[in-house]
Amino acid sequence: MVALPASPKPAPALPPPPLLTADAALFLDLDGTLLDFAAQPHHVVVADGLPEILRLLHGALGGALAIISGRSLAQIDQFDALPVMATAGLHGAQIRTADGLIVSAPSHAPSLDAARRAAVEHVAAIPGMLIEDKLDAIAVHFRGAPHAADDALAIGQKLLDIAGTGFTLQHGNHVVEVRPRGSDKGSALERLLRERAFLGRTPWMLGDDFTDEAAFTVANRLAGTSVIVGPRRPTDARYAL
């Protein structure tokens, strides 16, 4: 399902999360959780004070702090103010350890080049819709054209047909994305838990979007804490902010 208009009914009540403990491993989504959405992805702003909060958390948790985002690692690195930490990009297709080592990354797919050309052609006909080229993934944003949700889904399906079986269609908040198949934020969380700073710790996952549900499911299975940010429901998260 594509991001739908907010329901007039109040979201089912979920309790606030318990206090974060020193033996936790904290995994944080970026857009919609740490960063407010903007009309265009490159317009988002890192709020004053956020980098210092993350640095304090990183120290208090012994380095067991990671970003798990739909953005690519290259896009995340453009936020110079964010401290260096373990990071998963492209919904888990790219993983970089806290030491800067890339331990997972998709190989270049020529079929995505053809999909990229088709995306530019299709989106040009719909004012307000835009393409975000992540090199190894293609996102069709319709935040500037909320009436065109069905068009965005149709375009995404066409791009997926061109890209082929190595890719899947990912729905998000006013976005449809063709991304590499075989990984998600849940698999990224499990992979990062094998890193030295995260070993033996209890996972906490905070996120707001459909893409975070896979990580909520894994955190729950590992007796961790799953926290949804915002009013989106239904969710597998057990707590809410």
mmCIF file of all heavy atoms in Angstrom, residues 102-151:
data_model
loop_
_atom_site.group_PDB
_atom_site.id
_atom_site.type_symbol
_atom_site.label_atom_id
_atom_site.label_comp_id
_atom_site.label_asym_id
_atom_site.label_seq_id
_atom_site.Cartn_x
_atom_site.Cartn_y
_atom_site.Cartn_z
ATOM 1 N N ILE A 102 33.078 -1.275 4.758
ATOM 2 C CA ILE A 102 31.862 -1.660 4.054
ATOM 3 C C ILE A 102 31.792 -3.182 4.041
ATOM 4 O O ILE A 102 32.640 -3.849 3.439
ATOM 5 C CB ILE A 102 31.841 -1.131 2.606
ATOM 6 C CG1 ILE A 102 32.007 0.387 2.583
ATOM 7 C CG2 ILE A 102 30.558 -1.545 1.897
ATOM 8 C CD1 ILE A 102 30.864 1.150 3.177
ATOM 9 N N VAL A 103 30.789 -3.741 4.701
ATOM 10 C CA VAL A 103 30.677 -5.195 4.788
ATOM 11 C C VAL A 103 29.539 -5.730 3.925
ATOM 12 O O VAL A 103 29.399 -6.942 3.763
ATOM 13 C CB VAL A 103 30.478 -5.650 6.248
ATOM 14 C CG1 VAL A 103 31.712 -5.330 7.076
ATOM 15 C CG2 VAL A 103 29.241 -5.008 6.863
ATOM 16 N N SER A 104 28.736 -4.846 3.364
ATOM 17 C CA SER A 104 27.657 -5.274 2.474
ATOM 18 C C SER A 104 27.315 -4.126 1.541
ATOM 19 O O SER A 104 27.116 -2.993 1.988
ATOM 20 C CB SER A 104 26.412 -5.675 3.280
ATOM 21 O OG SER A 104 25.357 -6.049 2.423
ATOM 22 N N ALA A 105 27.249 -4.415 0.252
ATOM 23 C CA ALA A 105 26.885 -3.397 -0.734
ATOM 24 C C ALA A 105 26.432 -4.099 -2.009
ATOM 25 O O ALA A 105 27.039 -5.101 -2.413
ATOM 26 C CB ALA A 105 28.057 -2.474 -1.038
ATOM 27 N N PRO A 106 25.368 -3.614 -2.659
ATOM 28 C CA PRO A 106 24.893 -4.253 -3.888
ATOM 29 C C PRO A 106 25.865 -4.010 -5.038
ATOM 30 O O PRO A 106 26.546 -2.986 -5.094
ATOM 31 C CB PRO A 106 23.546 -3.574 -4.138
ATOM 32 C CG PRO A 106 23.670 -2.234 -3.476
ATOM 33 C CD PRO A 106 24.548 -2.454 -2.280
ATOM 34 N N SER A 107 25.933 -4.974 -5.952
ATOM 35 C CA SER A 107 26.747 -4.789 -7.142
ATOM 36 C C SER A 107 25.952 -4.004 -8.181
ATOM 37 O O SER A 107 24.717 -3.995 -8.165
ATOM 38 C CB SER A 107 27.161 -6.147 -7.723
ATOM 39 O OG SER A 107 26.013 -6.936 -8.004
ATOM 40 N N HIS A 108 26.659 -3.332 -9.073
ATOM 41 C CA HIS A 108 25.991 -2.513 -10.079
ATOM 42 C C HIS A 108 25.138 -3.382 -11.001
ATOM 43 O O HIS A 108 25.568 -4.441 -11.471
ATOM 44 C CB HIS A 108 27.019 -1.758 -10.924
ATOM 45 C CG HIS A 108 26.404 -0.987 -12.052
ATOM 46 N ND1 HIS A 108 25.636 0.138 -11.859
ATOM 47 C CD2 HIS A 108 26.420 -1.215 -13.393
ATOM 48 C CE1 HIS A 108 25.224 0.590 -13.026
ATOM 49 N NE2 HIS A 108 25.677 -0.209 -13.975
ATOM 50 N N ALA A 109 23.893 -2.943 -11.228
ATOM 51 C CA ALA A 109 22.975 -3.673 -12.102
ATOM 52 C C ALA A 109 22.676 -2.817 -13.329
ATOM 53 O O ALA A 109 22.043 -1.770 -13.212
ATOM 54 C CB ALA A 109 21.683 -3.993 -11.359
ATOM 55 N N PRO A 110 23.129 -3.222 -14.521
ATOM 56 C CA PRO A 110 22.858 -2.439 -15.732
ATOM 57 C C PRO A 110 21.369 -2.211 -15.976
ATOM 58 O O PRO A 110 20.991 -1.186 -16.550
ATOM 59 C CB PRO A 110 23.482 -3.306 -16.838
ATOM 60 C CG PRO A 110 24.553 -4.090 -16.152
ATOM 61 C CD PRO A 110 23.990 -4.391 -14.792
ATOM 62 N N SER A 111 20.533 -3.141 -15.533
ATOM 63 C CA SER A 111 19.091 -2.979 -15.749
ATOM 64 C C SER A 111 18.548 -1.746 -15.033
ATOM 65 O O SER A 111 17.543 -1.165 -15.444
ATOM 66 C CB SER A 111 18.341 -4.217 -15.270
ATOM 67 O OG SER A 111 18.525 -4.418 -13.878
ATOM 68 N N LEU A 112 19.224 -1.328 -13.947
ATOM 69 C CA LEU A 112 18.761 -0.145 -13.229
ATOM 70 C C LEU A 112 19.013 1.122 -14.042
ATOM 71 O O LEU A 112 18.314 2.123 -13.868
ATOM 72 C CB LEU A 112 19.447 -0.054 -11.860
ATOM 73 C CG LEU A 112 18.731 0.814 -10.819
ATOM 74 C CD1 LEU A 112 17.351 0.267 -10.513
ATOM 75 C CD2 LEU A 112 19.549 0.899 -9.535
ATOM 76 N N ASP A 113 20.007 1.103 -14.920
ATOM 77 C CA ASP A 113 20.250 2.258 -15.779
ATOM 78 C C ASP A 113 19.065 2.495 -16.704
ATOM 79 O O ASP A 113 18.639 3.630 -16.918
ATOM 80 C CB ASP A 113 21.526 2.038 -16.606
ATOM 81 C CG ASP A 113 22.775 1.954 -15.743
ATOM 82 O OD1 ASP A 113 22.773 2.542 -14.646
ATOM 83 O OD2 ASP A 113 23.728 1.290 -16.165
ATOM 84 N N ALA A 114 18.529 1.404 -17.272
ATOM 85 C CA ALA A 114 17.355 1.528 -18.126
ATOM 86 C C ALA A 114 16.149 2.007 -17.328
ATOM 87 O O ALA A 114 15.354 2.833 -17.798
ATOM 88 C CB ALA A 114 17.052 0.188 -18.791
ATOM 89 N N ALA A 115 16.000 1.504 -16.110
ATOM 90 C CA ALA A 115 14.897 1.944 -15.257
ATOM 91 C C ALA A 115 15.037 3.421 -14.906
ATOM 92 O O ALA A 115 14.045 4.153 -14.832
ATOM 93 C CB ALA A 115 14.867 1.095 -13.984
ATOM 94 N N ARG A 116 16.270 3.872 -14.713
ATOM 95 C CA ARG A 116 16.517 5.272 -14.384
ATOM 96 C C ARG A 116 16.084 6.180 -15.536
ATOM 97 O O ARG A 116 15.452 7.234 -15.304
ATOM 98 C CB ARG A 116 18.000 5.452 -14.071
ATOM 99 C CG ARG A 116 18.391 6.821 -13.555
ATOM 100 C CD ARG A 116 19.852 6.842 -13.177
ATOM 101 N NE ARG A 116 20.130 6.030 -12.009
ATOM 102 C CZ ARG A 116 20.791 4.872 -12.028
ATOM 103 N NH1 ARG A 116 21.248 4.383 -13.159
ATOM 104 N NH2 ARG A 116 20.999 4.202 -10.913
ATOM 105 N N ARG A 117 16.386 5.801 -16.749
ATOM 106 C CA ARG A 117 15.974 6.600 -17.907
ATOM 107 C C ARG A 117 14.454 6.631 -18.037
ATOM 108 O O ARG A 117 13.862 7.683 -18.321
ATOM 109 C CB ARG A 117 16.610 6.027 -19.176
ATOM 110 C CG ARG A 117 18.128 6.196 -19.235
ATOM 111 C CD ARG A 117 18.667 5.851 -20.616
ATOM 112 N NE ARG A 117 18.504 4.431 -20.915
ATOM 113 C CZ ARG A 117 19.413 3.496 -20.634
ATOM 114 N NH1 ARG A 117 20.555 3.844 -20.019
ATOM 115 N NH2 ARG A 117 19.215 2.232 -20.956
ATOM 116 N N ALA A 118 13.816 5.507 -17.787
ATOM 117 C CA ALA A 118 12.357 5.454 -17.855
ATOM 118 C C ALA A 118 11.731 6.298 -16.753
ATOM 119 O O ALA A 118 10.693 6.947 -16.963
ATOM 120 C CB ALA A 118 11.885 4.007 -17.739
ATOM 121 N N ALA A 119 12.346 6.322 -15.579
ATOM 122 C CA ALA A 119 11.811 7.107 -14.459
ATOM 123 C C ALA A 119 11.767 8.586 -14.795
ATOM 124 O O ALA A 119 10.773 9.270 -14.532
ATOM 125 C CB ALA A 119 12.668 6.874 -13.211
ATOM 126 N N VAL A 120 12.839 9.080 -15.381
ATOM 127 C CA VAL A 120 12.887 10.498 -15.756
ATOM 128 C C VAL A 120 11.776 10.826 -16.738
ATOM 129 O O VAL A 120 11.090 11.854 -16.614
ATOM 130 C CB VAL A 120 14.266 10.835 -16.363
ATOM 131 C CG1 VAL A 120 14.263 12.256 -16.913
ATOM 132 C CG2 VAL A 120 15.361 10.665 -15.319
ATOM 133 N N GLU A 121 11.544 9.943 -17.680
ATOM 134 C CA GLU A 121 10.510 10.168 -18.691
ATOM 135 C C GLU A 121 9.120 10.174 -18.070
ATOM 136 O O GLU A 121 8.305 11.058 -18.352
ATOM 137 C CB GLU A 121 10.602 9.079 -19.757
ATOM 138 C CG GLU A 121 9.556 9.196 -20.849
ATOM 139 C CD GLU A 121 9.665 8.080 -21.869
ATOM 140 O OE1 GLU A 121 10.702 7.395 -21.895
ATOM 141 O OE2 GLU A 121 8.703 7.891 -22.636
ATOM 142 N N HIS A 122 8.821 9.217 -17.221
ATOM 143 C CA HIS A 122 7.481 9.107 -16.645
ATOM 144 C C HIS A 122 7.183 10.246 -15.666
ATOM 145 O O HIS A 122 6.091 10.812 -15.662
ATOM 146 C CB HIS A 122 7.330 7.771 -15.925
ATOM 147 C CG HIS A 122 7.218 6.600 -16.847
ATOM 148 N ND1 HIS A 122 6.222 6.483 -17.792
ATOM 149 C CD2 HIS A 122 7.974 5.473 -16.966
ATOM 150 C CE1 HIS A 122 6.356 5.343 -18.454
ATOM 151 N NE2 HIS A 122 7.426 4.717 -17.972
ATOM 152 N N VAL A 123 8.153 10.573 -14.819
ATOM 153 C CA VAL A 123 7.923 11.568 -13.771
ATOM 154 C C VAL A 123 7.819 12.976 -14.345
ATOM 155 O O VAL A 123 7.118 13.828 -13.793
ATOM 156 C CB VAL A 123 9.043 11.474 -12.717
ATOM 157 C CG1 VAL A 123 9.015 12.681 -11.784
ATOM 158 C CG2 VAL A 123 8.901 10.188 -11.919
ATOM 159 N N ALA A 124 8.470 13.230 -15.460
ATOM 160 C CA ALA A 124 8.436 14.563 -16.067
ATOM 161 C C ALA A 124 7.022 15.005 -16.413
ATOM 162 O O ALA A 124 6.731 16.206 -16.473
ATOM 163 C CB ALA A 124 9.304 14.583 -17.317
ATOM 164 N N ALA A 125 6.109 14.048 -16.592
ATOM 165 C CA ALA A 125 4.741 14.380 -16.994
ATOM 166 C C ALA A 125 3.838 14.735 -15.817
ATOM 167 O O ALA A 125 2.690 15.139 -16.031
ATOM 168 C CB ALA A 125 4.136 13.201 -17.759
ATOM 169 N N ILE A 126 4.345 14.626 -14.571
ATOM 170 C CA ILE A 126 3.509 14.872 -13.395
ATOM 171 C C ILE A 126 4.147 15.961 -12.544
ATOM 172 O O ILE A 126 5.128 15.708 -11.833
ATOM 173 C CB ILE A 126 3.328 13.581 -12.576
ATOM 174 C CG1 ILE A 126 2.743 12.472 -13.454
ATOM 175 C CG2 ILE A 126 2.414 13.847 -11.367
ATOM 176 C CD1 ILE A 126 2.617 11.138 -12.764
ATOM 177 N N PRO A 127 3.625 17.185 -12.588
ATOM 178 C CA PRO A 127 4.184 18.281 -11.789
ATOM 179 C C PRO A 127 4.187 17.947 -10.298
ATOM 180 O O PRO A 127 3.211 17.414 -9.770
ATOM 181 C CB PRO A 127 3.236 19.447 -12.093
ATOM 182 C CG PRO A 127 2.635 19.122 -13.418
ATOM 183 C CD PRO A 127 2.494 17.624 -13.432
ATOM 184 N N GLY A 128 5.285 18.260 -9.647
ATOM 185 C CA GLY A 128 5.401 18.015 -8.216
ATOM 186 C C GLY A 128 6.024 16.682 -7.861
ATOM 187 O O GLY A 128 6.497 16.490 -6.740
ATOM 188 N N MET A 129 6.016 15.734 -8.779
ATOM 189 C CA MET A 129 6.640 14.439 -8.535
ATOM 190 C C MET A 129 8.124 14.531 -8.893
ATOM 191 O O MET A 129 8.493 15.255 -9.811
ATOM 192 C CB MET A 129 5.961 13.353 -9.372
ATOM 193 C CG MET A 129 6.364 11.934 -8.997
ATOM 194 S SD MET A 129 5.432 10.683 -9.934
ATOM 195 C CE MET A 129 3.810 10.838 -9.170
ATOM 196 N N LEU A 130 8.970 13.808 -8.158
ATOM 197 C CA LEU A 130 10.401 13.882 -8.448
ATOM 198 C C LEU A 130 11.073 12.538 -8.249
ATOM 199 O O LEU A 130 10.562 11.665 -7.534
ATOM 200 C CB LEU A 130 11.082 14.960 -7.608
ATOM 201 C CG LEU A 130 11.081 14.839 -6.081
ATOM 202 C CD1 LEU A 130 12.292 14.040 -5.608
ATOM 203 C CD2 LEU A 130 11.095 16.194 -5.427
ATOM 204 N N ILE A 131 12.219 12.410 -8.896
ATOM 205 C CA ILE A 131 13.034 11.205 -8.809
ATOM 206 C C ILE A 131 14.221 11.457 -7.885
ATOM 207 O O ILE A 131 14.876 12.497 -7.967
ATOM 208 C CB ILE A 131 13.566 10.811 -10.203
ATOM 209 C CG1 ILE A 131 12.426 10.351 -11.108
ATOM 210 C CG2 ILE A 131 14.614 9.710 -10.095
ATOM 211 C CD1 ILE A 131 11.756 9.079 -10.658
ATOM 212 N N GLU A 132 14.485 10.514 -7.004
ATOM 213 C CA GLU A 132 15.698 10.536 -6.185
ATOM 214 C C GLU A 132 16.571 9.367 -6.646
ATOM 215 O O GLU A 132 16.202 8.204 -6.469
ATOM 216 C CB GLU A 132 15.359 10.406 -4.711
ATOM 217 C CG GLU A 132 16.582 10.466 -3.812
ATOM 218 C CD GLU A 132 16.234 10.217 -2.354
ATOM 219 O OE1 GLU A 132 15.091 9.816 -2.063
ATOM 220 O OE2 GLU A 132 17.127 10.400 -1.511
ATOM 221 N N ASP A 133 17.690 9.692 -7.247
ATOM 222 C CA ASP A 133 18.604 8.674 -7.770
ATOM 223 C C ASP A 133 19.617 8.322 -6.677
ATOM 224 O O ASP A 133 20.453 9.144 -6.298
ATOM 225 C CB ASP A 133 19.312 9.212 -9.012
ATOM 226 C CG ASP A 133 20.177 8.164 -9.693
ATOM 227 O OD1 ASP A 133 20.321 7.054 -9.134
ATOM 228 O OD2 ASP A 133 20.710 8.453 -10.776
ATOM 229 N N LYS A 134 19.537 7.100 -6.173
ATOM 230 C CA LYS A 134 20.448 6.646 -5.124
ATOM 231 C C LYS A 134 21.552 5.747 -5.686
ATOM 232 O O LYS A 134 22.208 5.026 -4.938
ATOM 233 C CB LYS A 134 19.661 5.898 -4.046
ATOM 234 C CG LYS A 134 18.531 6.715 -3.407
ATOM 235 C CD LYS A 134 17.816 5.915 -2.330
ATOM 236 C CE LYS A 134 16.688 6.709 -1.709
ATOM 237 N NZ LYS A 134 16.005 5.952 -0.627
ATOM 238 N N LEU A 135 21.723 5.770 -6.995
ATOM 239 C CA LEU A 135 22.706 4.970 -7.726
ATOM 240 C C LEU A 135 22.331 3.493 -7.748
ATOM 241 O O LEU A 135 22.268 2.880 -8.819
ATOM 242 C CB LEU A 135 24.119 5.163 -7.163
ATOM 243 C CG LEU A 135 24.693 6.577 -7.288
ATOM 244 C CD1 LEU A 135 26.124 6.609 -6.756
ATOM 245 C CD2 LEU A 135 24.659 7.076 -8.720
ATOM 246 N N ASP A 136 22.108 2.893 -6.594
ATOM 247 C CA ASP A 136 21.717 1.488 -6.549
ATOM 248 C C ASP A 136 20.240 1.313 -6.238
ATOM 249 O O ASP A 136 19.782 0.189 -5.973
ATOM 250 C CB ASP A 136 22.560 0.740 -5.510
ATOM 251 C CG ASP A 136 24.017 0.667 -5.917
ATOM 252 O OD1 ASP A 136 24.289 0.260 -7.058
ATOM 253 O OD2 ASP A 136 24.887 1.033 -5.105
ATOM 254 N N ALA A 137 19.492 2.406 -6.240
ATOM 255 C CA ALA A 137 18.049 2.374 -6.023
ATOM 256 C C ALA A 137 17.455 3.642 -6.637
ATOM 257 O O ALA A 137 18.165 4.638 -6.829
ATOM 258 C CB ALA A 137 17.717 2.296 -4.536
ATOM 259 N N ILE A 138 16.163 3.591 -6.941
ATOM 260 C CA ILE A 138 15.470 4.739 -7.526
ATOM 261 C C ILE A 138 14.192 4.975 -6.738
ATOM 262 O O ILE A 138 13.360 4.072 -6.613
ATOM 263 C CB ILE A 138 15.115 4.501 -9.005
ATOM 264 C CG1 ILE A 138 16.360 4.163 -9.821
ATOM 265 C CG2 ILE A 138 14.414 5.716 -9.591
ATOM 266 C CD1 ILE A 138 16.034 3.684 -11.221
ATOM 267 N N ALA A 139 14.032 6.186 -6.207
ATOM 268 C CA ALA A 139 12.842 6.533 -5.439
ATOM 269 C C ALA A 139 11.994 7.532 -6.215
ATOM 270 O O ALA A 139 12.508 8.501 -6.774
ATOM 271 C CB ALA A 139 13.237 7.119 -4.085
ATOM 272 N N VAL A 140 10.688 7.289 -6.237
ATOM 273 C CA VAL A 140 9.721 8.190 -6.855
ATOM 274 C C VAL A 140 8.960 8.877 -5.721
ATOM 275 O O VAL A 140 8.167 8.247 -5.022
ATOM 276 C CB VAL A 140 8.745 7.432 -7.777
ATOM 277 C CG1 VAL A 140 7.727 8.387 -8.387
ATOM 278 C CG2 VAL A 140 9.506 6.687 -8.862
ATOM 279 N N HIS A 141 9.225 10.161 -5.522
ATOM 280 C CA HIS A 141 8.600 10.923 -4.449
ATOM 281 C C HIS A 141 7.374 11.671 -4.970
ATOM 282 O O HIS A 141 7.434 12.316 -6.015
ATOM 283 C CB HIS A 141 9.589 11.944 -3.874
ATOM 284 C CG HIS A 141 10.733 11.334 -3.128
ATOM 285 N ND1 HIS A 141 10.694 11.101 -1.773
ATOM 286 C CD2 HIS A 141 11.947 10.902 -3.551
ATOM 287 C CE1 HIS A 141 11.836 10.556 -1.388
ATOM 288 N NE2 HIS A 141 12.620 10.428 -2.452
ATOM 289 N N PHE A 142 6.278 11.591 -4.202
ATOM 290 C CA PHE A 142 5.086 12.341 -4.588
ATOM 291 C C PHE A 142 4.576 13.221 -3.449
ATOM 292 O O PHE A 142 3.414 13.571 -3.394
ATOM 293 C CB PHE A 142 3.980 11.392 -5.089
ATOM 294 C CG PHE A 142 3.557 10.315 -4.111
ATOM 295 C CD1 PHE A 142 2.456 10.490 -3.291
ATOM 296 C CD2 PHE A 142 4.248 9.122 -4.043
ATOM 297 C CE1 PHE A 142 2.044 9.499 -2.407
ATOM 298 C CE2 PHE A 142 3.857 8.123 -3.159
ATOM 299 C CZ PHE A 142 2.750 8.314 -2.344
ATOM 300 N N ARG A 143 5.477 13.631 -2.546
ATOM 301 C CA ARG A 143 5.097 14.556 -1.474
ATOM 302 C C ARG A 143 4.610 15.873 -2.058
ATOM 303 O O ARG A 143 3.715 16.523 -1.513
ATOM 304 C CB ARG A 143 6.286 14.793 -0.542
ATOM 305 C CG ARG A 143 5.950 15.603 0.717
ATOM 306 C CD ARG A 143 7.144 15.639 1.670
ATOM 307 N NE ARG A 143 7.523 14.294 2.061
ATOM 308 C CZ ARG A 143 6.913 13.590 3.016
ATOM 309 N NH1 ARG A 143 5.894 14.113 3.675
ATOM 310 N NH2 ARG A 143 7.321 12.373 3.312
ATOM 311 N N GLY A 144 5.191 16.291 -3.185
ATOM 312 C CA GLY A 144 4.757 17.519 -3.847
ATOM 313 C C GLY A 144 3.577 17.317 -4.768
ATOM 314 O O GLY A 144 3.096 18.280 -5.381
ATOM 315 N N ALA A 145 3.093 16.087 -4.868
ATOM 316 C CA ALA A 145 1.928 15.779 -5.704
ATOM 317 C C ALA A 145 1.120 14.678 -5.014
ATOM 318 O O ALA A 145 1.001 13.560 -5.520
ATOM 319 C CB ALA A 145 2.369 15.332 -7.095
ATOM 320 N N PRO A 146 0.567 14.962 -3.830
ATOM 321 C CA PRO A 146 -0.102 13.920 -3.046
ATOM 322 C C PRO A 146 -1.293 13.282 -3.745
ATOM 323 O O PRO A 146 -1.692 12.168 -3.403
ATOM 324 C CB PRO A 146 -0.527 14.660 -1.769
ATOM 325 C CG PRO A 146 -0.526 16.100 -2.129
ATOM 326 C CD PRO A 146 0.549 16.274 -3.150
ATOM 327 N N HIS A 147 -1.852 13.980 -4.716
ATOM 328 C CA HIS A 147 -2.971 13.426 -5.472
ATOM 329 C C HIS A 147 -2.528 12.316 -6.418
ATOM 330 O O HIS A 147 -3.380 11.590 -6.957
ATOM 331 C CB HIS A 147 -3.624 14.540 -6.297
ATOM 332 C CG HIS A 147 -2.682 15.171 -7.286
ATOM 333 N ND1 HIS A 147 -1.735 16.114 -6.901
ATOM 334 C CD2 HIS A 147 -2.494 14.969 -8.619
ATOM 335 C CE1 HIS A 147 -1.037 16.471 -7.963
ATOM 336 N NE2 HIS A 147 -1.478 15.797 -9.014
ATOM 337 N N ALA A 148 -1.224 12.185 -6.628
ATOM 338 C CA ALA A 148 -0.699 11.265 -7.638
ATOM 339 C C ALA A 148 -0.138 9.984 -7.036
ATOM 340 O O ALA A 148 0.757 9.360 -7.604
ATOM 341 C CB ALA A 148 0.376 11.970 -8.467
ATOM 342 N N ALA A 149 -0.675 9.558 -5.885
ATOM 343 C CA ALA A 149 -0.174 8.343 -5.240
ATOM 344 C C ALA A 149 -0.315 7.125 -6.155
ATOM 345 O O ALA A 149 0.604 6.310 -6.275
ATOM 346 C CB ALA A 149 -0.906 8.111 -3.926
ATOM 347 N N ASP A 150 -1.459 6.998 -6.811
ATOM 348 C CA ASP A 150 -1.661 5.852 -7.695
ATOM 349 C C ASP A 150 -0.711 5.911 -8.890
ATOM 350 O O ASP A 150 -0.209 4.871 -9.346
ATOM 351 C CB ASP A 150 -3.110 5.811 -8.181
ATOM 352 C CG ASP A 150 -4.085 5.438 -7.069
ATOM 353 O OD1 ASP A 150 -3.635 4.872 -6.055
ATOM 354 O OD2 ASP A 150 -5.284 5.725 -7.202
ATOM 355 N N ASP A 151 -0.466 7.121 -9.404
ATOM 356 C CA ASP A 151 0.478 7.275 -10.519
ATOM 357 C C ASP A 151 1.879 6.861 -10.084
ATOM 358 O O ASP A 151 2.608 6.195 -10.839
ATOM 359 C CB ASP A 151 0.498 8.720 -11.010
ATOM 360 C CG ASP A 151 -0.826 9.149 -11.604
ATOM 361 O OD1 ASP A 151 -1.342 8.426 -12.476
ATOM 362 O OD2 ASP A 151 -1.358 10.184 -11.187
#
